[in-house]
Amino acid sequence: MINVLITGKNEPIPPLVPWKVAEKNLPWGVMILLGGGFALAHIGEESGLSKWLGNELAVFSDLEPWLMNLVLCVVVAAATEVTSNTAICTLMMPIMAQIALQLQLNPLYIMFPTAIATSFSFMLPVATPPNAVVFSYGHLRVIDMVMVGFMMNIIGILVLILGTETWGASAFNFHTFPDIFKTNNNVSDIAQNITLLVNGTCLCSNLTMT
């Protein structure tokens, strides 16, 4: 009946995109790379990897806060080179919140710079959709992206830490531990709420870049 109403004939409606065209023209390699990043984030949360990684990163608690922030940003920027920005942000933000609350630091002091560091994915094709799309054309080698991207990562992280300690601290009071965290004992709920906020910001940023 629908075929008759649309075409006037009782014939199958041709597909808008035939499967052969989709199979030939869609960048399946890019889709697999991005899908793998989201799968990695989900598996990390379900398997307990996130909790284990948070305990391991707690070894940096003996460092000065700004130096610990620098190390964490380097770790996140390195991790985001092998998975998608949104996936690593989803995986790491709850960990950063827990570390900050355990050390009596403002969670935003650690979460904001590390969330921004997830966008420092300049070195590998798998790091972010624009990298994968550009690399899929075959005009660049991996070593070309690594050489330029490494310097961009270093400069970006240094500027990020400088901004966190100056403009960020002035605008958001990063060095002040909010009273709400002193009186509220439900640390998990607090960390989850902050994670949703920062993840939303990170996701919007990634969508805009894409």
Side-chain angles (χ1 to χ4, degrees), residues 7 16 20 33 43 46 69 72 75 117 126 146 158 203:
T7 63
L16 294 177
K20 290 184 178 180
L33 290 176
I43 292 173
E46 294 294 327
N69 223 358
L72 292 176
V75 171
V126 69
V146 169
L158 293 178
L203 179 60

Side-chain angles (χ1 to χ4, degrees), residues 15-198:
L16 294 177
V17 181
W19 171 247
K20 290 184 178 180
V21 175
E23 182 182 12
K24 180 179 179 180
N25 296 322
L26 286 179
W28 294 104
V30 176
M31 295 183 179
I32 293 175
L33 290 176
L34 297 179
F38 289 104
L40 178 63
H42 179 72
I43 292 173
E45 183 177 354
E46 294 294 327
S47 65
L49 175 62
S50 298
K51 184 177 180 179
W52 174 85
L53 188 57
N55 294 332
E56 294 298 316
L57 291 176
V59 299
F60 299 127
S61 60
D62 294 332
L63 302 175
E64 291 292 327
W66 71 269
L67 186 57
M68 180 185 66
N69 223 358
L70 174 63
V71 173
L72 292 176
C73 285
V74 171
V75 171
V76 170
T80 196
E81 298 293 348
V82 293
T83 186
S84 70
N85 303 359
T86 307
I88 198 63
C89 190
T90 303
L91 178 67
M92 296 300 293
M93 287 305 101
I95 298 173
M96 298 304 169
Q98 292 290 345
I99 292 176
L101 294 176
Q102 290 174 7
L103 300 178
Q104 297 291 296
L105 295 174
N106 190 332
L108 299 182
Y109 175 63
I110 297 180
M111 295 180 69
F112 261 71
T114 50
I116 296 174
T118 61
S119 295
F120 293 168
S121 46
F122 308 116
M123 294 175 58
L124 296 176
V126 69
T128 189
N131 288 16
V133 171
V134 171
F135 183 78
S136 66
Y137 284 93
H139 299 297
L140 290 176
R141 300 174 300 169
V142 174
I143 188 62
D144 297 330
M145 300 182 69
V146 169
M147 292 177 62
V148 177
F150 179 77
M151 294 305 301
M152 293 179 65
N153 279 353
I154 296 299
I155 296 173
I157 291 173
L158 293 178
V159 172
L160 176 60
I161 296 301
L162 176 62
T164 300
E165 296 295 327
T166 54
W167 314 309
S170 175
F172 299 105
N173 295 321
F174 281 153
H175 298 300
T176 301
F177 190 71
D179 294 334
I180 186 176
F181 301 122
K182 299 177 183 177
T183 57
N184 196 325
N185 296 323
N186 198 341
V187 176
S188 299
D189 289 345
I190 297 173
Q192 184 178 9
N193 291 336
I194 299 176
T195 301
L196 292 175
L197 173 63
V198 180

